[in-house]
Amino acid sequence: MPRNAFRRRWLTRTFATVGAAIMIVSAIALAGVIREVSTQQLHDVAQQNSAALGRAAANRIWPELQTIYSSRNAPSPRAKDSSGLEPITGPVASFLAEAGILSISMYSPTGRLLFTTGPTRQTSMANRDARFANAAAGNIDSQIEFREIVHTADSVLHNRWLVSTFAPFRPGDGWTVDAVIEVTADMTGLHNMATAAALRLLIIISLAFALVFALLLAIVWRANIRSDAHHAGHVARVSREAKADAMALIETLMAAWPDFVYVKDTQSRFVMVNASTAKLMGANNVKDLIGKTDHDFFPPEIAEDFYRSEQEMLSTGRRVIGRLEHVVAPDGSTTWFSTTKMPYCDANGQVRGFIGIGRDVTAEREASAHLRRAKEEAEYANRSKSEFLATMSHELRTPLNAIIGFSEIIKTEAFGPTGNATYKEYANDINESGAHLLELINDILDLSKVEAGSMELSEEVVSLDSIIRAVHVLVKERAQEADVVLTVPGPCPGLELYADRRKLKQILVNLLSNAIKFTEAGGRVELRIEHTGGRVLMHVIDTGIGIPADAVQKAMEPFGQVESHLSRRHHGSGLGLPLAKRMVELHGGELSIESAVGCGTTVTMSFPPERTVPARGTGRG
C-alpha cells in the first residue's frame, strides 16, 4: 500500500476511534449532568411540596393542639408532652395519605415531640441534629434517600424513594418559629418519572450524538474513498507515464547499442529487437521481425540449433553465457558472435521469455586465427633454425676440430721444427681463432636449445668446492694475462647443490670471463658464495667499467653488447650473459645485475631452497 494511502486510512481509523471515545465520554458526562440536574429539580420540587403540605397540615392541627394543651393548663404546647393526641391523629393521617405524605411530626423549638403520625413516637429531638437546628432557625432542610423497607402507620413498604423535610412553622403571619415540622413523603413515583424522563433525554441526545458521529464518519469515509480513487488514478497515470518513459529509454538504448539485442517469448518469437539485430537478419525494419522466429531468416539446421538451445535454457532456467554461434548471411559471409541469454519472469515469478545479447566477434576470431597461424609459422621457423644450427654445428665442428688439431701440432712442432718462426706464429693464430670459433658455435647451439625448450639438465649432487676449484683453474690464466686480481672463496665443506655439473661450471666460467674482460688492469674480480634462508647465492663482483642503467636490459639479450673501449678491444658474441641467465632459470633460480658506470658490476645468482642438499646426506634438498 502506498505511504499516503496508508496514512489516510490511519487518520480515518484514528478519527473514528477518537470520535467514538469522545462521543461515549460526552454521553456519560451528559448523563451525569442530566441526572444531577434532575435530582436537584426533584429535590427542590419535593422540598417545596413537602413544606407546603406540612404547613397545611400544621395549620389544620395547630388549633386543636392548642385546645388540647390548654385543657391541661399548659401555657403553650411547647411545655407539655404529646400524650392524649389520638383524637386528631386519625383525621390528619387520612389527610396526609391523600396528599402522598407518609408521616408528619411536630416538635417544639426545643426539640420536644408535640405530634406525630408515624409508627414510632419520639418524645424529643434531643440530639438536635443539624437539620433540625437549621429548620428551627427558620430554614427549610430536605434530603432524598432510598430505603428498602419503610414502616408506615398501617403498612410496610419496600424499595421506596423518600424525601424527608424539616420546615419551620409560624402560625399566622408571625415571625416567631413556634414549631418545627418534619414531613416524610413518598416520591418514588415522581423519582421514577424523573428518571424515565432523564433516560429518554439521554437516549435522544445519544442518538443525536451517534447521528452526528455517523454523519461525520460518512463524510470522512467518502472523502477518503474519493482521495483513494484520486490517488489510484494518479498512481495509474504516473505508472503509465513511467512505463512509457522506461520503454522509450529501453528502445533508445537498444537503438544505440552496437551489439545484437533482442527479446523473445517462450516460443522463441521476437518481441523486441534493435537495429543491429534487424540488420543481421537482413530485415529493413525492426518491426519486420516482431512475431517471427529464426526459422523465417536462417537455414533450417541453424534455426533449429538456436531453437533447441533456447528451449533448453527456458526449461532449466540456466543462463547461457558467452556461447559462440554463427550465422551465414545471404551473400555467403559468415558472422561469428558471442551470445549471452537469460530468462526473464513476470511479477508472479512465471517465465515469460528471455533476453539475448550477441557481440560480433568475427574480427577477433579472424585475428586469433591469424595469430595462431603466425605462432605456428614462428614455431616452424624456430624449429627450422634449431635444425639448421644443429646441422651447421655438426658440419662446422668437424673441420674446426681438424684445424685446431693440426694447428696445435704445428704450434708445438710435434713432428719436428717448422724451420721458420713465422710459420709457428701463424699456426698459433690459427689455433686461437679456431678455438674461439668453436666456443662461439657451442654457445649458439646451447642458446638455441634453451629457447626451443629442448635443453635438458643432467642433475646430480654437486659439491661447490669442486666446481669452484675447476672454474678457478679455467679462468685464472685469463686474469693473470689481464693483470686482474681474481679472488675465489675458501673451502665450503658440506655445501652441495642438486644441479647440472657441466652447466653450473659453464655459468660461472661465462660470468667470471665477462668480469675479467671488462675490468681494466689493476682491478679486482671476486666470486662470493652465501647460504642464507635455505637458498644458495653466488655473487660475481668486479671493479670494472660498469653498465649504464638503461643498457642492463640490452646486455641480457642475445648478441647484445654495450659499447665501450673495452668491448671494442675484446671481441665477443654477446651470448655469455644471456646464456648464463637462461641456464640459471632452467635450474629454477634467478639472475640479477646491479651496476654503475665507473664503479663496477655485481651479478647475483639465486638458487631455490629445494636445490640445496642438506649437510648430512646425499638426497635432494
Side-chain angles (χ1 to χ4, degrees), residues 3 44 55 112 132 135 163 196 352 398 427 434 524 571 582 610:
R3 184 176 181 180
D44 294 343
R55 288 193 185 96
R112 180 180 296 277
F132 177 82
V163 58
R352 301 299 302 274
T398 302
R524 301 179 61 84
H571 299 288
R582 282 160 175 75
E610 56 267 22

Side-chain angles (χ1 to χ4, degrees), residues 318-538:
R318 291 194 299 267
R319 299 179 178 183
V320 176
I321 299 177
R323 180 185 178 185
L324 194 63
E325 298 177 339
H326 73 282
V327 295
V328 180
D331 59 0
S333 61
T334 300
T335 301
W336 290 88
F337 50 94
S338 176
T339 301
T340 296
K341 301 176 183 178
M342 62 192 72
Y344 72 92
C345 303
D346 58 16
N348 298 322
Q350 298 295 323
V351 176
R352 301 299 302 274
F354 65 92
I355 301 171
I357 301 175
R359 172 163 296 180
D360 189 346
V361 294
T362 305
E364 289 87 341
R365 185 177 174 84
E366 292 177 352
S368 177
H370 177 73
L371 289 176
R372 187 169 55 253
R373 288 193 300 269
K375 181 176 178 293
E376 293 173 353
E377 293 173 357
E379 290 175 348
Y380 175 76
N382 191 54
R383 288 195 302 270
S384 300
K385 180 196 70 174
S386 299
E387 293 174 359
F388 171 76
L389 289 175
T391 302
M392 289 302 297
S393 64
H394 176 73
E395 296 296 330
L396 290 174
R397 279 176 178 176
T398 302
L400 275 176
N401 286 331
I403 292 171
I404 294 171
F406 291 145
S407 62
E408 183 71 21
I409 293 173
I410 296 173
K411 183 179 70 171
T412 58
E413 297 180 332
F415 298 123
T418 58
N420 191 328
T422 303
Y423 291 152
K424 184 177 180 179
E425 183 180 348
Y426 289 166
N428 183 63
D429 292 341
I430 293 171
N431 184 266
E432 289 181 357
S433 298
H436 176 71
L437 185 58
L438 182 60
E439 181 182 355
L440 176 61
I441 291 173
N442 288 333
D443 286 346
I444 293 174
L445 185 60
D446 287 340
L447 184 62
S448 65
K449 287 181 179 180
V450 172
E451 291 182 344
S454 59
M455 177 174 283
E456 297 180 356
L457 297 179
S458 178
E459 297 175 317
E460 59 179 309
V461 177
V462 178
S463 170
L464 290 184
D465 270 344
S466 63
I467 293 294
I468 293 170
R469 287 195 301 270
V471 170
H472 185 247
V473 170
L474 293 175
V475 299
K476 66 179 181 179
E477 186 177 349
R478 300 182 187 179
Q480 292 170 356
E481 292 176 354
D483 194 16
V484 172
V485 178
L486 175 63
T487 304
V488 297
C492 305
L495 189 56
E496 297 176 323
L497 285 179
Y498 191 73
D500 187 312
R501 180 185 298 274
R502 189 184 71 83
K503 291 180 175 55
L504 187 58
K505 186 188 300 184
Q506 185 178 354
I507 293 170
L508 291 175
V509 169
N510 284 352
L511 295 179
L512 288 171
S513 298
N514 266 0
I516 294 170
K517 182 170 62 173
F518 292 102
T519 300
E520 295 181 339
R524 301 179 61 84
V525 173
E526 179 184 0
L527 173 62
R528 185 182 301 169
I529 306 295
E530 288 185 52
H531 184 205
T532 177
R535 305 176 72 91
V536 171
L537 303 179
M538 300 182 182

Side-chain angles (χ1 to χ4, degrees), residues 45-59 61 92 95-97 99-107 113 115-118 125 131-132 135 140-145 147 161-169 180-187:
V45 171
Q47 175 177 280
Q48 294 173 4
N49 290 342
S50 297
L53 291 173
R55 288 193 185 96
N59 287 328
I61 66 175
V92 173
F95 167 75
L96 296 176
I101 296 177
L102 297 179
S103 66
I104 186 172
S105 299
M106 293 186 68
Y107 300 92
L113 178 63
F115 173 80
T116 183
T117 61
M125 184 62 69
R131 296 179 61 203
F132 177 82
I140 300 175
D141 194 310
S142 295
Q143 179 177 327
I144 298 175
E145 59 182 338
R147 294 182 185 177
W161 284 92
L162 306 178
V163 58
S164 175
T165 303
F166 283 86
F169 177 66
V180 175
I181 308 168
E182 180 187 6
V183 180
T184 302
D186 183 2
M187 58 171 295

Side-chain angles (χ1 to χ4, degrees), residues 207-273:
L207 290 175
F209 277 1
L211 182 61
V212 172
F213 175 73
L215 180 61
L216 291 176
L217 185 62
I219 293 173
V220 173
W221 187 261
R222 179 177 177 81
N224 186 51
I225 292 176
R226 294 182 64 183
S227 177
D228 285 347
H230 175 74
H231 178 72
H234 176 70
V235 169
R237 184 174 65 258
V238 171
S239 177
R240 288 193 300 270
E241 293 175 355
K243 186 180 294 185
D245 292 344
M247 288 300 298
L249 177 61
I250 292 174
E251 291 175 355
T252 302
L253 288 174
M254 292 183 66
W257 204 303
D259 294 338
F260 313 126
V261 184
Y262 52 89
V263 179
K264 292 185 178 181
D265 60 16
T266 54
Q267 301 301 317
S268 293
R269 294 186 294 257
F270 287 103
V271 176
M272 184 182 296
V273 297

